[in-house]
């Protein structure tokens, strides 16, 4: 009822044009994870939605029930370390660890976070500053288990991924590719990573269940059309787990528990390898959403706790910590990494979102390529803003004024601990240029900010490639 006019418009567009101009991924039935499809879950969640429908909810406001539906193998350690959990897709995700509170005393002056207003201080802790500091200067463990991943396999696997993605996937085994899934109009459906583990076997890191259902449906259609090009898409998230081991000392830590070669020239940036760590079988991918040296380390769920313990113990002499989503989100914004559903959706084309580099135009046809070839020059762009006063943190979705007129909105925001200033990404007219002044409206106040070059941290990629 509350969304009736918008729903009517979207449905009319779907019927007449085959595509809604408003992104609908938050309305897709396919967005629900299996644990969210039980009768009890649907009943309780729907009743709670009714209670909250007119409430002003904090962007991080935790779901209170049902909780603890999915936990990673590291959950007992996370509890011991005093994790503050928030929920996503049924998963319990640590946002920071109370065990790191003592680091606030060691935190250098330049890293001390400013006081927050009461709204942005909710569901937040200054401990995140200490976790960001340790990640940039030592080494940290991040639980990446909730990041959805699928195995794509079969003689038609390469064809499927080449056809649906913007990337050049036809590289030798071991290669990892960052690329986009587009819709027919060239809008961004998702951004994914694809690791070629073997000639006919890939592992893709995807964003949500909508991506999974899309890949699965397309795979089934391809297989039905030509059985010699069969391809299978399997959700391996629950049976596997992932640790992000990141920071300038990550190589020291991993070398203590593995005899495999993690040197810069052997396992290069955006390459993967099958390795042993503390005797466990691990798929290592050298990439980092927080923009530091290190690897995503995947193993089966039964081995997860052993992997965590081995790395945690080996890292003690290097000051290793477990770090949570609050630090993670700040670090990825400093590095300029977009988050699907926040920075971009199907309403945006890659170039507008600053993701043109992920489109390999010369690889031949793929879903969305024809539309991109005819796309007009962008009239708006996703831009990086730095808040001038160095302390006013906004939350996301605030209006942004350019030339004194409302001209766009904030997509994600965080305090940038490395740069010592709040960051906001925002949609702005294409004519907004680096150095231009804008204002972000926050509780009736106008907060001055400056359009800035990005990324704010490590534009030369020395940390990642070092
Ligand atoms: N890890 C893995 N898969 C993922 C994510 C992840 N899939 C979903 C989501 N996160 C995808 N988002 C990103 C965003 C940026 C990068 C990786 C995943 C990234 N970008 C490099 C850059 O822009 O500098 C790409 C460099 C290149 O193209 O060579 O690393 O976190 N497994």
């Amino acid at each position: 009822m509350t969304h009736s006019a918008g729903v009517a418009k979207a449905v009319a567009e779907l019927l007449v044009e085959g595509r809604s101009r408003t992104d609908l991924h938050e309305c897709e039935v396919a967005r629900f994870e299996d644990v969210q499809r039980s009768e009890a879950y649907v009943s309780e969640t729907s009743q709670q939605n009714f209670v909250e429908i007119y409430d002003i909810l904090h962007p991080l406001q935790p779901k209170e029930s049902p909780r603890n539906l999915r936990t990673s193998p590291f959950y007992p350690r996370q509890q011991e370390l005093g994790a503050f959990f928030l929920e996503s897709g049924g998963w319990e995700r640590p946002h920071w660890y109370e065990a790191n509170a003592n680091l606030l005393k060691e935190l250098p002056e330049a890293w001390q976070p400013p006081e927050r207003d009461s709204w942005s201080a909710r569901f937040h802790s200054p401990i995140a500053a200490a976790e960001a500091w340790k990640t940039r200067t030592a080494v940290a463990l991040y639980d990446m288990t909730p990041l959805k991943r699928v195995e794509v396999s079969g003689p038609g696997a390469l064809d499927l991924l080449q056809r649906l993605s913007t990337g050049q996937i036809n590289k030798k085994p071991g290669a990892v590719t960052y690329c986009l899934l587009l819709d027919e109009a060239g809008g961004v459906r998702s951004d994914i990573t694809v690791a070629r583990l073997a000639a006919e076997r890939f592992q893709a890191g995807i964003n949500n269940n909508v991506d999974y259902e899309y890949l699965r449906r397309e795979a089934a259609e391809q297989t039905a059309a030509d059985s010699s090009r069969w391809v299978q898409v399997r959700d391996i998230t629950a049976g596997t787990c992932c640790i992000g081991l990141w920071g300038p000392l990550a190589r020291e830590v991993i070398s203590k528990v593995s005899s495999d070669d993690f040197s810069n020239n052997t396992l290069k940036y955006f390459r993967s390898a099958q390795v042993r760590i503390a005797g466990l079988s691990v798929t290592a991918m050298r990439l980092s959403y927080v923009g530091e040296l290190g690897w995503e380390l995947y193993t089966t769920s039964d081995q997860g706790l052993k992997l965590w313990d081995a790395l945690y113990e080996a890292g003690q002499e290097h000051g290793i910590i477990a770090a949570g989503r609050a630090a993670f989100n700040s670090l990825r914004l400093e590095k300029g990494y977009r988050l699907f559903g926040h920075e971009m959706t199907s309403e945006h084309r890659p170039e507008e979102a600053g993701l043109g580099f992920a489109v390999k135009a010369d690889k031949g046809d793929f879903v969305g390529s024809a539309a991109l070839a005819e796309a007009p020059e962008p009239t708006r762009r996703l831009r990086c803003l730095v808040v001038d006063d160095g302390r006013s943190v906004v939350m996301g979705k605030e209006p942004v004024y350019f030339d004194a007129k409302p001209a766009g909105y904030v997509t994600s925001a965080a305090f940038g601990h490395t740069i010592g200033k709040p960051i906001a990404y925002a949609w702005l007219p294409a004519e907004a240029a680096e150095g231009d002044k804008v204002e972000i409206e926050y509780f009736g106040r106008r907060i001055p900010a400056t359009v800035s070059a990005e990324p704010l941290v490590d534009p030369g990629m020395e940390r990642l490639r070092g």
Side-chain angles (χ1 to χ4, degrees):
M1 296 288 278
T2 53
H3 297 86
S4 55
V7 169
K9 179 168 173 286
V11 170
E13 288 166 358
L14 275 169
L15 290 172
V16 176
E17 298 167 3
R19 176 180 186 269
S20 161
R21 290 177 218 176
T22 308
D23 179 77
L24 293 180
H25 84 277
E26 287 182 279
C27 305
E28 287 272 0
V29 162
R31 74 188 182 278
F32 296 108
E33 293 286 321
D34 183 68
V35 290
Q36 298 172 316
R37 288 183 228 134
S38 76
E39 216 172 302
Y41 185 98
V42 172
S43 170
E44 185 173 0
T45 303
S46 306
Q47 291 182 56
Q48 186 61 15
N49 284 346
F50 182 77
V51 171
E52 291 174 355
I53 191 86
Y54 293 117
D55 289 357
I56 294 172
L57 296 179
H58 191 277
L60 291 172
Q61 178 137 329
K63 184 188 246 330
E64 275 165 22
S65 174
R67 286 289 295 269
N68 277 61
L69 293 171
R70 311 180 82 182
T71 57
S72 82
F74 327 126
Y75 186 65
R77 298 295 176 264
Q78 295 170 340
Q79 283 182 306
E80 287 162 24
L81 295 170
F84 177 85
F85 293 99
L86 293 176
E87 178 269 354
S88 174
W91 288 98
E92 295 296 324
R93 297 196 305 186
H95 273 241
W96 65 85
Y97 293 86
E98 288 295 331
N100 295 326
N102 59 350
L103 294 173
L104 286 171
K105 295 194 286 285
E106 293 173 42
L107 198 58
E109 184 56 34
W111 289 80
Q112 291 289 344
E115 284 282 318
R116 291 189 173 209
D117 71 287
S118 61
W119 185 251
S120 69
R122 296 190 72 186
F123 314 114
H124 183 79
S125 165
I127 293 170
E131 295 180 358
W133 172 60
K134 276 288 177 187
T135 310
R136 290 268 188 252
T137 60
V139 55
L141 294 179
Y142 287 83
D143 181 2
M144 298 293 287
T145 304
L147 182 88
K148 209 169 167 73
R149 50 200 165 273
V150 293
E151 181 194 75
V152 183
S153 61
L158 178 63
D159 285 1
L160 181 83
L161 292 165
Q162 286 286 62
R163 181 164 59 81
L164 301 186
S165 87
T166 63
Q168 178 50 267
I169 312 298
N170 194 4
K171 300 176 187 152
K172 55 183 190 298
V176 184
T177 307
Y178 173 67
C179 57
L180 310 173
L181 304 179
L182 303 181
D183 63 21
E184 290 291 352
V188 179
R189 288 187 71 113
S190 192
D191 67 335
I192 66 171
T193 59
V194 180
R196 189 167 200 179
L197 301 180
E200 296 185 352
R201 190 164 57 88
F202 299 81
Q203 181 173 318
I206 63 177
N207 280 301
N208 49 47
N209 210 58
V210 178
D211 292 347
Y212 170 56
E213 289 296 336
Y214 172 60
L215 294 173
R216 208 169 63 138
R217 194 172 61 242
E218 290 286 340
E221 281 171 19
Q222 179 178 311
T223 302
D226 177 0
S227 61
S228 72
R229 285 169 62 243
W230 69 265
V231 47
Q232 184 192 52
V233 177
R234 202 161 62 88
D235 183 351
I236 58 166
T237 314
T240 57
C241 58
C242 179
I243 294 174
L245 176 72
W246 292 315
L249 302 181
R251 197 172 271 133
E252 274 75 354
V253 175
I254 208 160
S255 304
K256 277 181 69 182
V257 283
S258 176
S259 53
D260 284 285
D261 188 352
F262 288 90
S263 63
N264 203 23
N265 286 331
T266 308
L267 185 47
K268 293 193 172 80
Y269 183 56
F270 261 78
R271 301 273 308 166
S272 76
Q274 198 61 37
V275 298
R276 288 235 174 232
I277 296 175
L280 312 170
S281 198
V282 170
T283 304
M285 290 183 203
R286 184 157 163 212
L287 63 105
S288 167
Y289 205 63
V290 302
E292 290 296 328
L293 171 70
W295 308 268
E296 290 181 349
L297 302 170
Y298 297 88
T299 191
T300 49
S301 296
D302 58 333
Q303 305 291 290
L305 195 54
K306 289 181 84 171
L307 179 63
W308 177 282
D309 286 345
L311 294 169
Y312 196 74
E313 196 190 315
Q316 285 311 308
E317 64 172 297
H318 302 291
I320 202 168
I321 58 158
R325 300 289 305 181
F328 183 86
N329 192 48
S330 160
L331 297 165
R332 67 105 186 158
L333 279 178
E334 289 185 330
K335 189 64 184 120
Y337 289 162
R338 278 76 171 134
L339 177 58
F340 179 81
H342 294 256
E343 273 64 63
M344 70 290 187
T345 67
S346 64
E347 293 174 23
H348 312 108
R349 285 191 306 273
E351 200 187 347
E352 299 173 304
L355 292 171
F357 71 91
V359 181
K360 299 295 172 240
D362 56 2
K363 79 165 197 180
D365 284 347
F366 51 90
V367 174
S369 61
L372 288 192
E374 289 167 12
E377 273 293 297
T379 57
R380 57 179 179 180
R381 282 184 192 278
L382 185 70
R383 301 304 305 251
C384 173
L385 309 180
V386 175
V387 172
D388 294 343
D389 69 11
R391 52 187 312 115
S392 299
V393 176
V394 300
M395 304 301 302
K397 302 200 171 155
E398 294 86 357
V400 180
Y401 291 75
F402 175 62
D403 270 347
K405 289 188 286 287
Y409 63 94
V410 174
T411 58
S412 291
F415 189 82
H417 298 286
T418 317
I419 64 160
K421 287 183 174 181
I423 304 166
Y425 272 76
W427 285 102
L428 283 177
E431 58 270 25
E434 260 165 48
D436 281 353
K437 298 290 175 191
V438 300
E439 290 177 317
I440 306 170
E441 187 176 304
Y442 185 73
F443 286 99
R445 210 155 56 87
R446 298 272 181 94
I447 298 173
T450 303
V451 179
S452 301
E454 60 165 314
L456 296 165
V457 169
D458 197 24
M461 302 289 282
E462 281 118 21
R463 290 172 165 271
L464 277 168
R465 293 182 185 279

